[in-house]
Amino acid sequence: MHSMFSPKPAFNFLKFSQILILILSVLVSNIYADENPGVPDEDLEDLIALDEQVEQEKLQEEQGSNQHVKTSSEAEVLSKAQRIVLQLNNDNTKRVIDENEFVFVLGYAPWCARSAELMPKFAEAAMTLKALDSPVLMAKVDADRHPRAAKVLGIKGFPTLLLFVNGSSQLYSGGFTAEEIVIWTRKKTGVPVIRISSVAAAEEFLKKHETFVGPDYEEFVKAATADNEIQFVVVSDSDTLKVLFPDAKDGSLFLGLVKSEPERYTTYKGIFKMDKILHFLDYNKFPLVATLTELNSVRLHASPIKLQVFIFAEIDDFKNLRDSLEDVARKFKSKIMFVYVDIIEENLAKPLLTLFGLEESDKTIVAAFDNRIRSKYLLESDLTPNNIEEFCVGLSHGTVSPYYKSQPIPENTEGSIQIVVGKTFEELVLKSPKNVLLEVHTPWCINCESMSKQVEKLFKHFKGLNTLTFAKINAAANEHPELQVDDYPKLLLYPAGDKSKPIKLSTKSGTKELASALKKHVAKVKEELTKDEL
């Protein structure tokens, strides 16, 4: 039986002049490229079919169809992977859990589509963990066929992933690719801290890993155990320390973070407590300018640095800006996160640019989000280093005005329904001396078209009334802080006497009912204004 953690070291910290704790920010893709020794050559030969094409054609002929068929190579790889995963049943489940220190269980049902998607990923993770000599036993149970086993394990839904450590279970909290399953499992079942004891080992470590951090040992191990992304490493030799962290000072306990970027070394200056160490990592683990990808988008969004500057640009344009951006980012480290988004990657860039009404732009854009107050900002001046830095200073001091998107200002004609945009909302609605009936619509609104026809009828009916203005605004392309609407269409009457409290008119009423309500409100406003004048 393997223990989850190695015994507490007996060495006395005071006997060593330096201690370096190295923390490796392990990217999912690097684990396998760096640490997986690979499947032995003879196993690979077993997994590869001699003639995949012939086998595929043979299977297609036997089935008499053109359906897609797995090559024998793929089928054998999957078969081998699935054999690594132990099948639990009503009879062996309790014994397996009791007799093994680590058991990672997939509970599934044959009819569950999500189970079917997850099972090959689970099997692939099992193969990788086996190659890495992981102590965890990977197992699965058909909860439909073996309900007693499912009850013993505490499986109530499908699919369910549970890690049992000495009989006690914890629910899986990672992602659902094979890589994500492996990294989570290794953090939960391996030694949370790697010990490096020689210069040669340190040099070998540097070949594999690009990012590093040094402590009261117990607090450090707590931090290593609490974190699910980063590999923690400890050394206690001065020469080894210099290999890994040349900037380290002699003669004292030391903790530092090393990253594969221009801002390579970051020294920790706080007290050696778990929460403080984790806080340090959260605020420093990303590059000076991170690149947004599908894989890291959730991690970036979850960063405690809620003030974030985004640079949307083509890769060549970004390369020209990168050095100056990193210089600016260095000045706002731990206060503002800088993120590059390839503007060509529409699935990443377009949803964000749409918030600014700039989804069709192909020019370099610098924008920002303050996720604490859900505000957005746009740098509208030239993209010079000085302007970008001034923009960031204003963001950090709260002096930059939030950005509200607007269409270009249209040419409205007298005696027509006025087209309002974000930039004219103040003038045409809030500062207008007249009553303003505003129709708020969006292009994707199902009922907006019929509402617009009703408004046109109302406009014709009240055309001679010079105290009432009809207007409309496309809320999908225009914003204003005083226009907060969450469902469409919306009819808002802004009374001449008090534009701060618009009156909501029913969009479910017929034209006659709306005309009657509108006439009543306008007359009431006129009466109140007359009284005020007297």
Side-chain angles (χ1 to χ4, degrees):
M1 303 230 339
H2 300 271
S3 63
M4 187 168 184
F5 308 112
S6 40
K8 181 177 178 181
F11 69 87
N12 188 326
F13 288 110
L14 298 179
K15 293 182 180 179
F16 298 95
S17 60
Q18 297 102 359
I19 292 178
L20 170 66
I21 306 287
L22 304 169
I23 297 184
L24 166 66
S25 296
V26 183
L27 298 176
V28 171
S29 60
N30 288 345
I31 291 180
Y32 311 104
D34 295 337
E35 297 187 23
N36 189 347
V39 182
D41 290 342
E42 58 268 28
D43 286 348
L44 286 174
E45 292 173 0
D46 291 339
L47 296 176
I48 298 175
L50 294 176
D51 192 340
E52 296 178 4
Q53 186 61 37
V54 172
E55 182 65 18
Q56 184 174 0
E57 291 175 357
K58 179 181 177 181
L59 289 170
Q60 288 176 337
E61 289 175 1
E62 289 175 353
Q63 293 178 9
S65 70
N66 292 323
Q67 294 178 349
H68 174 70
V69 180
K70 287 183 181 290
T71 64
S72 59
S73 173
E74 292 172 327
E76 196 161 346
V77 168
L78 180 59
S79 175
K80 184 178 180 68
Q82 289 174 336
R83 287 196 300 272
I84 293 173
V85 180
L86 178 65
Q87 181 72 57
L88 300 179
N89 55 47
N90 289 332
D91 298 324
N92 70 358
T93 295
K94 189 175 186 307
R95 175 174 53 79
V96 169
I97 298 298
D98 289 344
E99 294 181 359
N100 291 274
E101 185 175 11
F102 302 119
V103 184
F104 196 5
V105 179
L106 165 62
Y108 68 94
W111 46 262
C112 172
R114 289 189 62 198
S115 294
E117 292 174 3
L118 183 58
M119 286 181 72
K121 306 295 183 185
F122 190 77
E124 184 182 343
M127 283 191 70
T128 302
L129 287 165
K130 182 177 178 63
L132 292 170
D133 293 325
S134 170
V136 67
L137 174 64
M138 304 291 278
K140 62 184 178 181
V141 60
D142 181 341
D144 256 10
R145 185 179 177 187
H146 305 287
R148 284 195 290 115
K151 186 176 181 180
V152 168
L153 296 169
I155 294 171
K156 298 177 181 178
F158 313 108
T160 295
L161 288 170
L162 295 169
L163 174 65
F164 288 83
V165 180
N166 292 321
S168 297
S169 70
Q170 56 180 297
L171 188 64
Y172 178 73
S173 57
F176 293 100
T177 64
E179 293 83 358
E180 289 168 324
I181 293 171
V182 168
I183 191 171
W184 188 91
T185 306
R186 293 189 74 231
K187 289 290 289 188
K188 297 296 183 182
T189 62
V191 178
V193 177
I194 293 176
R195 188 177 305 284
I196 297 179
S197 56
S198 68
V199 170
E203 291 173 344
E204 187 65 26
F205 182 83
L206 279 174
K207 292 177 183 178
K208 296 181 179 180
H209 307 306
E210 298 176 339
T211 305
F212 309 81
V213 194
D216 179 84
Y217 187 77
E218 289 183 355
E219 290 296 317
F220 184 71
V221 172
K222 287 179 183 177
T225 305
D227 177 86
N228 289 329
E229 297 180 15
I230 302 169
Q231 183 63 62
F232 285 53
V233 183
V234 60
V235 300
S236 55
D237 174 79
S238 177
D239 292 334
T240 306
L241 168 69
K242 292 299 183 182
V243 170
L244 298 170
F245 206 111
D247 291 357
K249 295 180 180 180
D250 295 333
S252 61
L253 294 177
F254 180 81
L255 186 150
L257 173 68
V258 185
K259 294 181 288 186
S260 57
E261 59 158 318
E263 191 70 12
R264 186 167 176 79
Y265 303 105
T266 305
T267 301
Y268 175 67
K269 298 179 181 179
I271 60 174
F272 293 106
K273 294 294 182 183
M274 179 187 74
D275 57 339
K276 300 296 183 182
I277 294 172
L278 293 175
H279 182 273
F280 167 73
L281 296 177
D282 280 343
Y283 279 82
N284 291 279
K285 64 185 177 183
F286 289 108
L288 285 172
V289 181
T291 298
L292 182 68
T293 66
E294 295 282 2
L295 290 175
N296 71 8
S297 60
V298 174
R299 291 176 64 232
L300 289 174
H301 182 73
S303 169
I305 305 176
K306 299 304 181 185
L307 191 54
Q308 302 178 347
V309 170
F310 282 73
I311 302 92
F312 302 88
E314 291 190 14
I315 185 65
D316 290 338
D317 295 331
F318 172 67
K319 287 178 180 178
N320 293 332
L321 270 176
R322 183 164 199 149
D323 288 345
S324 57
L325 282 171
E326 287 178 344
D327 288 341
V328 174
R330 192 173 287 108
K331 297 176 182 179
F332 296 92
K333 193 175 179 182
S334 299
K335 296 178 181 178
I336 299 177
M337 174 178 282
F338 288 75
V339 182
Y340 163 63
V341 185
D342 188 345
I343 204 167
I344 301 300
E345 296 287 339
E346 289 193 358
N347 57 329
L348 293 173
K350 202 164 187 175
L352 295 170
L353 290 173
T354 298
L355 299 174
F356 295 87
L358 299 172
E359 58 271 23
E360 301 303 324
S361 177
D362 57 1
K363 297 180 180 179
T364 299
I365 294 168
V366 174
F369 297 92
D370 189 337
N371 295 324
R372 298 167 299 184
I373 56 176
R374 302 187 69 178
S375 293
K376 60 182 183 288
Y377 308 87
L378 182 68
L379 176 58
E380 299 185 74
S381 58
D382 294 337
L383 300 182
T384 64
N386 284 340
N387 286 344
I388 294 173
E389 183 172 345
E390 287 181 11
F391 180 62
C392 293
V393 169
L395 289 171
S396 62
H397 293 165
T399 57
V400 178
S401 298
Y403 178 81
Y404 298 96
K405 60 185 177 182
S406 175
Q407 291 175 303
I409 299 176
E411 294 184 5
N412 286 309
T413 58
E414 191 68 28
S416 65
I417 296 178
Q418 301 291 291
I419 304 300
V420 176
V421 296
K423 294 177 180 178
T424 61
F425 184 86
E426 188 86 17
E427 177 188 354
L428 296 181
V429 178
L430 299 182
K431 292 184 177 179
S432 172
K434 299 181 180 181
N435 301 287
V436 179
L437 179 67
L438 181 68
E439 174 196 349
V440 187
H441 65 95
T442 66
W444 41 261
C445 165
I446 297 175
N447 299 317
C448 285
E449 186 176 353
S450 60
M451 189 72 256
S452 291
K453 291 179 180 179
Q454 280 191 298
V455 171
E456 288 174 4
K457 292 178 182 178
L458 289 170
F459 170 69
K460 292 177 181 178
H461 179 74
F462 288 96
K463 196 171 183 179
L465 188 62
N466 60 9
T467 59
L468 179 63
T469 297
F470 282 75
K472 62 192 303 181
I473 185 170
N474 177 359
N478 300 279
E479 298 172 324
H480 191 277
E482 296 299 321
L483 181 66
Q484 301 296 328
V485 178
D486 54 11
D487 63 319
Y488 310 96
K490 185 75 73 177
L491 280 180
L492 300 173
L493 175 63
Y494 289 81
D498 185 3
K499 296 295 178 69
S500 66
K501 297 179 180 178
I503 300 166
K504 296 179 182 179
L505 301 183
S506 173
T507 56
K508 296 181 180 180
S509 301
T511 306
K512 288 184 178 180
E513 289 83 358
L514 282 172
S516 177
L518 191 55
K519 185 176 182 180
K520 179 181 177 181
H521 284 300
V522 171
K524 183 179 179 181
V525 171
K526 183 178 181 180
E527 182 181 342
E528 289 176 351
L529 288 175
T530 301
K531 287 180 180 179
D532 290 341
E533 290 173 359
L534 293 174

